[in-house]
Amino acid sequence: MENEGNIKKLASLTIKTEQEEVDRFNRLKEELGIMTSGQLLTELLDRVMQPQRINDRTKELTEKADNLQQLLTEAENAKNTQLKRIAELEQQLADAQATANHNAEAANATQLEMQQRIEGLTLKENQRVVSFTNDNLQVLEYVAARESKRRKQEWSISHIINFFIYARFIKGMLNGDLGSVSDSELKKIGINLKIKAKEAVEI
């Protein structure tokens, strides 16, 4: 009962947009491994707001630098006894300007990183989003690791799928040279050998 006061009331947000944008939103949520639309919205808002927060801090530091510059100018017009104070103000000004420059560079780097990540998540013409059952995905990962070791070169899940399509459907070979996985290895990686065909293909 003590925690009831700390629970935030959730609100609903309804947005009308084209189906293509809804599909892109759902793909992004799936690819980032985010469970709910609310969590993805929070993630996107945080990433959008981060450069603005850095810009606000940069503006604050720039204003501080301007104020220090004004104090420095006043000190330079004072008596020789204030020379020590001038030196201190010059150092503060340099530090403030260095911090402001660093934050501006960080904001640019963050924006570039976000753009690159968005471009990396955008499907190319020869790419599709494919769903697998947990068992099938485990087997694909196992075969990819096995073939990488056997062939002494990196083989990904994409390599396995493309090679199987080529060997089975284009060349007409049953397995090509991608051997099946033994029952003992399947059990070792946690695959249920009693699963029915319908369960193996329905996602």
Side-chain angles (χ1 to χ4, degrees):
M1 298 297 291
E2 295 178 357
N3 294 330
E4 289 184 355
N6 297 328
I7 299 176
K8 294 182 179 179
K9 184 178 180 181
L10 299 178
S12 296
L13 174 63
T14 301
I15 301 174
K16 290 187 177 296
T17 186
E18 296 180 0
Q19 184 61 42
E20 179 183 354
E21 303 305 319
V22 174
D23 293 340
R24 288 178 62 196
F25 184 90
N26 290 330
R27 281 201 307 270
L28 182 60
K29 181 173 66 173
E30 180 180 344
E31 291 166 354
L32 294 179
I34 295 176
M35 299 298 295
T36 69
S37 296
Q39 290 172 338
L40 177 56
L41 178 60
T42 300
E43 178 75 12
L44 292 174
L45 288 174
D46 286 344
R47 290 177 180 275
V48 170
M49 291 298 295
Q50 184 181 14
Q52 183 58 49
R53 288 194 293 268
I54 294 176
N55 288 339
D56 291 343
R57 177 59 176 158
T58 301
K59 181 179 179 181
E60 177 185 344
L61 289 169
T62 301
E63 291 174 352
K64 181 179 178 181
D66 291 342
N67 291 335
L68 289 170
Q69 182 66 59
Q70 182 177 355
L71 289 173
L72 177 59
T73 301
E74 294 172 357
E76 288 173 338
N77 295 329
K79 296 180 181 180
N80 292 335
T81 54
Q82 294 180 322
L83 290 177
K84 183 178 180 180
R85 175 60 178 161
I86 293 173
E88 293 174 352
L89 290 173
E90 286 176 337
Q91 184 59 51
Q92 291 179 27
L93 174 59
D95 292 344
Q97 289 175 332
T99 303
N101 291 338
H102 175 76
N103 284 343
E105 292 173 1
N108 291 335
T110 299
Q111 291 171 343
L112 178 60
E113 179 186 357
M114 287 178 60
Q115 182 63 34
Q116 290 173 338
R117 291 194 65 181
I118 291 172
E119 291 175 357
L121 292 173
T122 302
L123 290 178
K124 298 179 177 63
E125 186 176 348
N126 66 331
Q127 294 178 326
R128 299 292 185 273
V129 175
V130 180
S131 298
F132 300 98
T133 64
N134 289 334
D135 279 0
N136 288 343
L137 183 57
Q138 278 188 276
V139 172
L140 277 172
E141 290 173 341
Y142 171 83
V143 173
R146 183 191 69 186
E147 293 302 315
S148 294
K149 182 176 181 181
R150 183 170 77 91
R151 299 168 186 269
K152 295 182 174 55
Q153 63 183 37
E154 188 65 29
W155 268 53
S156 66
I157 289 177
S158 294
H159 288 115
I160 298 300
I161 294 173
N162 279 294
F163 188 87
F164 179 81
I165 291 171
Y166 167 80
R168 180 67 184 93
F169 298 114
I170 297 176
K171 288 299 185 180
M173 295 182 285
L174 181 60
N175 288 325
D177 66 345
L178 294 177
S180 62
V181 182
S182 66
D183 288 354
S184 62
E185 292 296 335
L186 289 173
K187 289 179 181 178
K188 188 182 297 184
I189 61 177
I191 304 302
N192 180 8
L193 299 180
K194 296 181 180 180
I195 193 168
K196 304 298 182 183
K198 181 179 180 181
E199 296 171 331
V201 298
E202 286 189 352
I203 299 172

